Amino acid sequence: MELKMKAITKKKVLILGCTGSIGQNSIALMKEYPNDFEVVGLSAHRNEAKLKTFGKECNCTNLFLSENNEEGFAEFISQTKADIAINGISGFAGLLPSIHCLEAKMDLALANKESIVSAGDLLQSIARKNNKKIIPVDSEHSAVFSLIQGLGKNSVKKILLTASGGPFRLWEKERFPSIRVQDALAHPTWSMGKKISIDSATLANKGLEVIEASRLFSLDAKEIQVLIHPQSIVHSMVQSKDGAYYAQLSPPSMKQAILYALNYPEIKENSLPSLDFSQDLALNFSPPRMNDFPMLALAYEVLEKDGALPIVYNAANEIFVHAFLEEKIRFIDIPVLTEKILNGNWSMKPNHLEDVIQIDRIAREKAGALI
């Protein structure tokens, strides 16, 4: 009797921003699970040599360099015919690719929080129209997403986003004027790109995540709490309406969140390291120092007032972070200058992509003029 082998169906994966931290972790997973995934497209911004190297490693010839060809992004994304796209692009530049992926009827594994912060309603609308899912890849939002899947949205009272506290968690505020770029880049837990490392140091990254969580999970500001957790093992928690807390714990690695998004809605066994409870494990939690790290407090104000402010918060922060990296401003200037920009008239509610892009441009121009 002739036995017929069942064909293995691989999930087709597009990786945007493949040379960054998320992209490289994703590529590592592609190599670890070659029977589950097939890379059908890779993009990078300007590092052509690395893009070609990753293309060879993934046996993928469908490569795209975006630096001088942003208008070609939509066509590149569409013709990959991917099942799911991982968007690991940094900053506001990731918004249009997020839209292109959803419009090309791909599920979106989203690590680009700026997309949701600046145009969350628009992205959710496109996803619903095309019956596609937006699955967060930030470790905190991935944790919340998975916990809500288990509990059910109607059972959730609030969510608790954990933060490492960054490199200045234990610094006295009096020392902040002396902070140098290399100090701010020295993250104690995660290995990340320069921009997100500075955001972690100012707690702007957590501020962006508060806004992102509101958009992703339809929550008010008062339903989102931030906790400083230096071990970065509890990635987030959810409190149910009966008062109980549920947490997602795993070693501090982005691979867990990426793999969860790629396999969703299935939960599959994997070979990733897990926690070792045969050893002592101490977990510490404390409230954030909102007065000492005002970028987080500003994010809550932005979320309460809404309008165009989330776009402005993100745009101004990007400009001032890059100015700090270039040593044009001090670390302590980032929140001061951001607040100045936010104090303008930003009550208008963006209804279309063009509105979002225009508000972002104006905010950047105003921020640039302050430097």
Side-chain angles (χ1 to χ4, degrees):
M1 184 175 73
E2 184 180 349
L3 294 175
K4 291 185 178 179
M5 298 293 290
K6 185 179 179 180
I8 298 174
T9 304
K10 298 181 182 181
K11 187 170 282 190
K12 296 178 181 178
V13 181
L14 165 63
I15 304 174
L16 304 176
C18 71
T19 60
S21 174
I22 293 293
Q24 293 189 56
N25 274 296
S26 300
I27 288 171
L29 288 171
M30 299 298 104
K31 296 176 185 176
E32 289 179 49
Y33 303 97
N35 294 327
D36 296 320
F37 307 111
E38 175 189 0
V39 179
V40 294
L42 294 168
S43 87
H45 183 54
R46 65 168 65 94
N47 196 333
E48 186 173 7
K50 213 167 189 179
L51 176 63
K52 288 180 177 178
T53 297
F54 288 152
K56 289 178 181 177
E57 291 178 6
C58 297
N59 194 27
C60 174
T61 57
N62 207 358
L63 310 177
F64 184 78
L65 203 66
S66 64
E67 184 175 29
N68 298 311
N69 190 22
E70 291 288 343
E71 63 277 5
F73 235 136
E75 183 181 355
F76 162 72
I77 289 170
S78 177
Q79 54 90 25
T80 62
K81 307 295 184 187
D83 299 310
I84 187 168
I86 300 170
N87 187 351
I89 296 171
S90 174
F92 186 78
L95 171 58
L96 282 176
S98 289
I99 291 173
H100 296 327
C101 290
L102 292 170
E103 288 181 336
K105 296 181 170 53
M106 302 172 189
D107 287 328
L108 180 61
L110 188 60
N112 176 263
K113 61 179 66 68
E114 294 85 355
S115 293
I116 290 289
V117 168
S118 299
D121 292 344
L122 176 62
L123 286 180
Q124 298 279 22
S125 174
I126 297 170
R128 285 192 298 270
K129 181 184 72 175
N130 291 313
N131 196 28
K132 292 290 128 182
K133 299 178 183 68
I134 299 174
I135 309 162
V137 171
D138 271 338
S139 67
E140 297 84 356
H141 299 84
S142 173
V144 172
F145 183 87
S146 63
L147 290 166
I148 288 177
Q149 298 303 304
L151 282 173
K153 179 67 170 67
N154 292 334
S155 300
V156 174
K157 181 178 181 180
K158 70 175 180 180
I159 66 173
L160 298 92
L161 302 176
T162 54
S164 71
F168 310 125
R169 177 176 63 88
L170 300 177
W171 282 41
E172 296 174 352
K173 190 176 182 180
E174 289 71 26
R175 295 179 62 193
F176 284 15
S178 67
I179 290 173
R180 301 165 300 170
V181 171
Q182 55 264 44
D183 299 325
L185 290 174
H187 196 280
T189 309
W190 299 92
S191 175
M192 307 179 291
K194 289 184 178 181
K195 195 267 181 182
I196 194 172
S197 294
I198 304 302
D199 283 348
S200 180
T202 63
L203 290 194
N205 188 51
K206 207 51 51 178
L208 289 166
E209 289 178 5
V210 167
I211 301 170
E212 181 185 11
S214 172
R215 300 290 189 258
L216 283 172
F217 308 117
S218 301
L219 298 170
D220 296 330
K222 66 179 181 296
E223 297 172 310
I224 306 168
Q225 183 178 348
V226 171
L227 285 178
I228 302 300
H229 169 54
Q231 292 84 11
S232 298
I233 286 174
V234 175
H235 294 283
S236 277
M237 292 187 278
V238 165
Q239 185 185 28
S240 59
K241 289 179 178 177
D242 63 1
Y245 288 90
Y246 299 83
Q248 193 260 11
L249 289 74
S250 62
S253 166
M254 289 307 302
K255 287 184 178 180
Q256 185 80 38
I258 296 168
L259 200 54
Y260 177 86
L262 288 171
N263 286 323
Y264 183 82
E266 291 185 74
I267 301 289
K268 293 185 176 181
E269 288 192 27
N270 61 54
S271 57
L272 298 179
S274 58
L275 294 174
D276 181 5
F277 285 102
S278 68
Q279 306 294 322
D280 288 346
L281 181 64
L283 302 176
N284 302 98
F285 303 93
S286 60
R289 293 157 52 196
M290 300 282 264
N291 291 334
D292 294 349
F293 296 90
M295 287 302 289
L296 180 55
L298 285 173
Y300 274 99
E301 290 180 28
V302 161
L303 191 51
E304 292 276 11
K305 296 175 182 176
D306 208 2
L309 284 172
I311 303 169
V312 178
Y313 177 90
N314 176 68
N317 178 61
E318 282 194 24
I319 294 296
F320 297 136
V321 166
H322 288 301
F324 170 65
L325 286 169
E326 294 174 355
E327 300 184 351
K328 293 178 179 177
I329 63 173
R330 298 173 299 169
F331 181 84
I332 58 173
D333 294 328
I334 296 174
V336 173
L337 295 175
T338 299
E339 186 172 16
K340 283 187 177 181
I341 300 298
L342 290 171
N343 285 335
N345 180 17
W346 303 104
S347 59
M348 70 287 286
K349 181 76 174 176
N351 295 312
H352 307 285
L353 175 61
E354 292 75 17
D355 300 335
V356 174
I357 293 173
Q358 182 179 14
I359 292 165
D360 176 82
R361 178 183 56 78
I362 294 171
R364 288 171 191 273
E365 289 173 357
K366 289 181 179 294
L370 282 183
I371 298 171

